[in-house]
Amino acid sequence: MKTIFLKAVFFLAVISITLSCSKDDEPAPPNYTEENFLEGYLATTGFSQSNEQVINDDNYEFGIEFTPLVKGKITKLKVNLPATRSDLRITIWDKATTTPIRTETVNYSAANTIMAFDIADLDLVKDKEYAITCNSDDWNFRKRTIATPTTYPVTSGNIKIISYKYLMGTTQSYPSDNDNTYYSGDLSFDFIQTN
């Protein structure tokens, strides 16, 4: 009887120590911070060297194709244009199918100002190819001071930019043309890693 009692006490002590140790030994969840690719992209490509503001030109659907290097989510859209636009259409696309995943229409009400627009979080899959575009007749036309092409892809933080794309017109169509000598924008998003 004494042996059974001692075994029971020992067993309870082991369970108690195991439970308290396992709680203390659990690592804290990672604390990821939001990031935005645009500044790094412009610096790496050299497109930050020269900017000409274009206002009231033809309408274009323009933006970039990109891949997240980690699982994450888009939390905000960011825009900086040389003129206001109350109905600026921004689209996130699935590149493989060239279909919209999310469309947001925002009121860009302060020209030459980076405006952030909160959206319902949009989950992105690691290594999947996407695009983000807007449709406007106003943009910042960015290029190198010496007009030479840049080399894609360009990585900025956890976002790899595959190419710059554009298409003339107002319809919501996936841009078919690309260019590596300039960038028209500025359109970007805040991204946060989730794993």
Side-chain angles (χ1 to χ4, degrees), residues 177-194:
D177 300 320
N178 65 315
D179 199 296
N180 61 359
T181 61
Y182 69 89
Y183 165 76
S184 291
D186 301 340
L187 173 66
S188 65
F189 54 81
D190 284 352
F191 174 82
I192 189 163
Q193 184 174 351
T194 56

Side-chain angles (χ1 to χ4, degrees), residues 32-36 73-76 121 190-193:
Y32 298 116
T33 57
E34 282 186 332
E35 59 183 279
N36 188 288
K73 60 186 177 181
I74 294 175
T75 59
K76 292 180 186 72
D121 291 352
D190 284 352
F191 174 82
I192 189 163
Q193 184 174 351

Side-chain angles (χ1 to χ4, degrees), residues 3-4 17 44 52 72 86 99 120 132 138 140 150-151 155 165 194:
T3 305
I4 293 173
I17 290 169
T44 301
E52 175 189 341
S86 62
T99 56
I132 180 170
D138 311 306
N140 291 300
T150 195
T151 302
T155 300
K165 304 288 281 188
T194 56

Side-chain angles (χ1 to χ4, degrees), residues 86-107:
S86 62
D87 60 347
L88 182 67
R89 185 183 69 222
I90 301 172
T91 307
I92 311 287
W93 305 82
D94 180 317
K95 182 185 174 197
T97 62
T98 66
T99 56
I101 298 171
R102 174 82 62 85
T103 302
E104 300 282 345
T105 302
V106 300
N107 179 13

Side-chain angles (χ1 to χ4, degrees), residues 52-123:
E52 175 189 341
Q53 295 188 329
V54 177
I55 299 174
N56 293 328
D57 201 298
D58 293 323
N59 272 82
Y60 284 87
E61 188 80 24
F62 57 87
I64 58 147
E65 294 177 321
F66 68 93
T67 301
L69 301 176
V70 295
K71 180 181 176 187
K73 60 186 177 181
I74 294 175
T75 59
K76 292 180 186 72
L77 301 175
K78 289 191 170 175
V79 180
N80 181 15
L81 299 175
T84 62
R85 188 169 184 123
S86 62
D87 60 347
L88 182 67
R89 185 183 69 222
I90 301 172
T91 307
I92 311 287
W93 305 82
D94 180 317
K95 182 185 174 197
T97 62
T98 66
T99 56
I101 298 171
R102 174 82 62 85
T103 302
E104 300 282 345
T105 302
V106 300
N107 179 13
Y108 181 72
S109 59
N112 296 308
T113 303
I114 299 171
M115 292 188 67
F117 299 95
D118 286 322
I119 61 167
D121 291 352
L122 178 61
D123 292 326

